[in-house]
Amino acid sequence: MSGIIAAPPLGVGAAAALVVGALACLLLPALAPVAALAALLLVGLVAWWQRRDRWRWAAAALFGFGLCGLHAAASLHAQLPPAHERDDFQVGGRVIGLPVHEARRTRFDLRVDDDPALPDFLRGARLRLSWYDNEWSDAPSRRGEIVAGGEWELRVRLRAPRGLRNPGSFDSEKHAMAQRVVATGYVRAPEDAVQRGRPRGIDAWRDGMAARIDVVVTSASSRYVRALALGDTRALADHDWEILRATGLTHLIAISGFHVGMVAGFFALLGAGLWRLLPGLGRIVPRPQASAAVALAGAVGYAAVAGFALPTVRTVLMIAVVVAARLWRRPLRIADALALAAIAVLLVDPLAVLSAGFWLSFAGVAWLVWCLPQARGGNIAREFLSAQWVATLGLLPLTVILFGQASLAGPFANLVAIPWWSLVVVPLSLVGTALEGLHGGWGSGAWRLAAWAFDLSWPAFERLGASPLALWWLPEPRWFALPMALAAAFWLLLPRGIPGKPLAALLWLPLLWPDRQLPRHGEVELVVIDVGQGLALLVRTARHALLYDMGPAIPEGYDAGERTVVPALHALGVRRLHTMVVSHGDADHAGGLAAVRRRFPAPRLLAPEGAGIDGAAPCLAGTQWRRDGVAFRILHPPLHFPYLRNEASCVLRIETAHGAMLLVGDIGAPVEERLVGRVPGDLPADVVVVGHHGSRHSSTPGFVSATGARLALVSAGHGNRFGHPDGGVVARWQAAGATVLETATGGGLRIRLGADGLEAGTERQRRPRLWDAVRRLERAAHSPAALSYPPD
């Protein structure tokens, strides 16, 4: 046994194995049966406890796999059953978290009461709801009464969590599973909503404190004081987040682990001072142990003020581990404290590995622990620069994978922001919050000083973030790019004298310069971006990109151009748009134009005359151009055609030596018949984007027959109120020999016409996920037990 290397049960190796097991489970396209997951958990737990060699780590990985799978199965099984999709329910519950008040709606989470009168799937459930203004009523809206901690009786219409699926887009289905959201929906009959009692709880206190900051700090920087003091980022606009991302400062603006550590340190000093003033207390509890306990109490309280965000919880757990070691008088390395904190987080919630905060928090500390073990209070400036270099290089691969971007200005901005914000702005914000908590009005001065200190630095960061070189957007890389980049970072951070470091740069190439898989000369690619009920199409040739429509947008509300189209373009590696075409001026097609133009100012914009699109040249039949061996020709509208909204849509034909595509916007039966009669030779196409989202007023039999399409694409939102696509329309295209693909069931659609023929795929097929809502419905439909998520 002397040759066997002992493996501690709760060390760094066990923590890494637990993470690997949980991650391996979540990377599978489907969950294993619940019985198998339970067996893996039990076998892994027993072996983890009994083994003494490195097989103990394999056992920990098995345990993590089983535990994570059971949590995922429980979360998915708890979601709204398909049989109750879009049903109305009368529920009572408490508002949890901080509600977000927008121009036309309020978004909030509701924890439903454990009421025996409710169905089992709603008792104690977490619902994600919206309360919209009634545009047809003159009565004042009551949605402003929704506050954190408030209790309400509401009538709501619910659906199971479901989101859009595109390259680079936010995965709301994953987020819902990780947050244990049972259903999403909206308030019905808001005039009948009943408020029960006064708001209470820590969230109500946080909401009230945020309101006081807004009253006291009259400058615009009050929103940043709220973020730093309470972790409340609701007031930050998209522009604010753009600047923070471009300067690499997002980790500082909300309450982070560093802030919790500062509070813990302050409370430790406070406890030590109290014990010095009252020496008799030392006979009951020694001063070092008392200081540690007081520090932990302060950290827990501050984490509660911050809403128990993951970075704060991670730091609290690390502090708890250190305090426990101090109480038991055991020495503890930082690496061991980090490992124990990771194990604690995963034992409580293994789905935490789905959050970016988990990886950035633990990876950042791990890099620093590994690379800077000798930091012992020498040259502070040198150690700070070393830490900044390690954090920047070590976290770059994760930042690119998680967010698809890298901040070139980040290292420089952090050199100023970390000491100034962390040592001046944050302490003033925290002092103000503490004083205000003791007595109303006492925190005003500290909050105003915090805002003043913040305003001294923010203009410089705004100018830095506005630089075109500040933020580097990167396409989605292949799976092997991350391990290669991590190996490169490890190699570069090895001690001086290690040979071959310049070669490490080659390992970065798959991550920083991935293959964009562009079409070859004479080929064309069409990407139908999943924007819900709307349309956005990207057409790419070898060196040119055209965007046809930009998705829907609601004034002062959701903007698909900003939230969906732009991220998809970045993830697909689009560096610039050469042409934009607005089919017509309706909001579900042109709503996202402004957001897209801010990021991709194309030199050429076409739209029908009368559509009201500023700066657009007329989209007229007969206009044609050629790019990279691919011909583009507009078939409609002709000169002097009146603007009739849908019927005035730009119809674009794209022709290659390998086939043709037809983009028709929202034209209906009259224009379709006109095209069949006047330009029948221009209609045959291998791929057709079905007109008007599959409305029954489009896709006439004559038009469908004239196109002879092999592939018909439908862009429509799941369960939309218009019933798109119409069942008869889908059947008509299928009867004509076309395969019909829908964004509602497939997510983003990717089509290529080239020398290899017609290739088609969907985003949900390309990247299957065990939390996929479409596959969940399909499995439920074939399950004899009619479970909402059968375990296979």
Side-chain angles (χ1 to χ4, degrees), residues 295-445:
L296 178 60
V300 171
Y302 185 52
V305 170
F308 288 109
L310 181 62
T312 66
V313 171
R314 183 259 302 166
T315 306
V316 167
L317 288 173
M318 289 185 65
I319 293 172
V321 170
V322 174
V323 168
R326 177 65 64 88
L327 293 177
W328 270 270
R329 296 178 172 84
R330 299 274 183 92
L332 189 68
R333 299 180 306 162
I334 296 177
D336 292 329
L338 184 69
L340 288 172
I343 291 172
V345 168
L346 293 178
L347 289 179
V348 173
D349 182 16
L351 298 184
V353 297
L354 292 172
S355 72
F358 175 89
W359 295 100
L360 295 176
S361 296
F362 283 101
V365 177
W367 275 115
L368 292 174
V369 168
W370 179 72
C371 292
L372 304 172
Q374 304 301 322
R376 293 291 187 270
N379 188 315
I380 296 177
R382 182 176 179 178
E383 290 180 2
F384 176 70
L385 291 174
S386 297
Q388 183 65 30
W389 161 249
V390 169
T392 299
L393 189 64
L395 294 181
L396 178 59
L398 285 175
T399 302
V400 172
I401 291 294
L402 294 170
F403 305 114
Q405 62 188 30
S407 175
L408 303 180
F412 306 102
N414 276 274
L415 289 176
V416 176
I418 288 178
W420 182 248
W421 287 4
S422 298
L423 300 179
V424 178
V425 181
V426 172
L428 287 172
S429 302
L430 300 184
V431 168
T433 304
L435 292 175
E436 192 72 16
L438 293 174
H439 187 276
W442 284 6
S444 302

Side-chain angles (χ1 to χ4, degrees), residues 130-216:
S130 295
W131 184 328
Y132 293 93
D133 285 337
N134 186 347
E135 298 179 3
W136 294 277
S137 174
D138 294 330
S141 175
R142 297 177 54 207
R143 64 182 176 86
E145 300 173 22
I146 294 287
V147 295
E151 296 189 5
W152 288 81
E153 291 280 349
L154 302 169
R155 186 157 190 83
V156 295
R157 175 163 292 181
L158 301 178
R159 58 184 288 182
R162 183 162 178 156
L164 308 176
R165 285 289 296 277
N166 293 291
S169 68
F170 174 72
D171 192 339
S172 60
E173 295 167 13
K174 177 182 74 173
H175 183 73
M177 183 188 75
Q179 297 295 316
R180 277 75 173 182
V181 175
V182 170
T184 62
Y186 62 93
V187 176
R188 299 265 290 170
E191 64 277 1
D192 297 331
V194 177
Q195 186 173 10
R196 307 182 319 202
R198 296 173 58 86
R200 54 192 176 91
I202 187 65
D203 286 332
W205 181 87
R206 293 176 67 211
D207 208 5
M209 195 66 71
R212 291 187 209 175
I213 292 176
D214 280 343
V215 171
V216 170

Side-chain angles (χ1 to χ4, degrees), residues 22-23 55 80 99 123 212 221 238 313 370 387-388 470 626 694 770:
L23 187 61
W55 284 104
L80 187 74
R123 294 173 60 179
R212 291 187 209 175
S221 54
D238 288 338
V313 171
W370 179 72
Q388 183 65 30
R626 192 174 185 85
L770 60 86

Side-chain angles (χ1 to χ4, degrees), residues 623-668:
T623 303
Q624 56 186 326
W625 62 96
R626 192 174 185 85
R627 294 289 184 271
D628 305 321
V630 178
F632 296 80
R633 185 162 72 257
I634 295 174
L635 306 182
H636 179 81
L639 186 64
H640 304 310
F641 190 90
Y643 182 68
L644 301 174
R645 298 184 60 180
N646 290 349
E647 304 302 342
S649 293
C650 291
V651 176
L652 179 63
R653 177 179 176 82
I654 305 165
E655 190 168 352
T656 77
H658 312 291
M661 296 179 174
L662 199 60
L663 319 182
V664 301
D666 272 0
I667 62 171

Side-chain angles (χ1 to χ4, degrees), residues 516 518-525 540-545 578 627-630:
R516 294 187 290 158
L518 294 173
R520 291 169 290 189
H521 185 84
E523 297 182 345
V524 66
E525 180 185 60
R540 292 202 292 187
T541 62
R543 294 187 302 274
H544 288 75
H578 302 86
R627 294 289 184 271
D628 305 321
V630 178

Side-chain angles (χ1 to χ4, degrees), residues 577-791:
L577 291 174
H578 302 86
T579 304
M580 285 196 285
V581 178
V582 178
S583 66
H584 61 298
D586 284 3
D588 57 334
H589 293 251
L593 173 62
V596 175
R597 290 177 87 175
R598 282 198 301 271
R599 303 289 187 89
F600 294 92
R604 188 184 191 194
L605 173 64
L606 302 176
E609 287 192 280
I613 306 298
D614 293 337
C619 176
L620 292 174
T623 303
Q624 56 186 326
W625 62 96
R626 192 174 185 85
R627 294 289 184 271
D628 305 321
V630 178
F632 296 80
R633 185 162 72 257
I634 295 174
L635 306 182
H636 179 81
L639 186 64
H640 304 310
F641 190 90
Y643 182 68
L644 301 174
R645 298 184 60 180
N646 290 349
E647 304 302 342
S649 293
C650 291
V651 176
L652 179 63
R653 177 179 176 82
I654 305 165
E655 190 168 352
T656 77
H658 312 291
M661 296 179 174
L662 199 60
L663 319 182
V664 301
D666 272 0
I667 62 171
V671 174
E672 289 181 347
E673 294 172 359
R674 182 182 186 280
L675 291 173
V676 171
R678 296 202 175 190
V679 288
D682 290 330
L683 296 184
D686 299 270
V687 181
V688 174
V689 179
V690 176
H692 202 182
H693 320 288
S695 164
R696 61 187 177 89
H697 302 294
S698 300
S699 298
T700 58
F703 182 78
V704 171
S705 176
T707 63
R710 291 190 284 161
L711 197 59
L713 312 177
V714 179
S715 178
H718 169 68
N720 64 85
R721 61 191 178 97
F722 306 103
H724 296 158
D726 178 73
V729 167
V730 173
R732 191 176 304 142
W733 283 101
Q734 291 173 335
T739 299
V740 179
L741 296 180
E742 304 176 31
T743 57
T745 54
L749 312 176
R750 202 162 179 176
I751 318 299
R752 180 166 294 195
L753 269 175
D756 298 328
L758 176 61
E759 301 174 6
T762 72
E763 184 65 17
R764 292 186 186 270
Q765 290 173 339
R766 186 175 75 94
R767 292 193 171 181
R769 297 289 184 258
L770 60 86
W771 52 81
D772 189 279
V774 173
R775 293 173 61 246
R776 171 180 173 269
L777 287 175
E778 292 173 351
R779 294 187 178 195
H782 294 89
S783 171
L787 293 176
S788 65
Y789 192 84

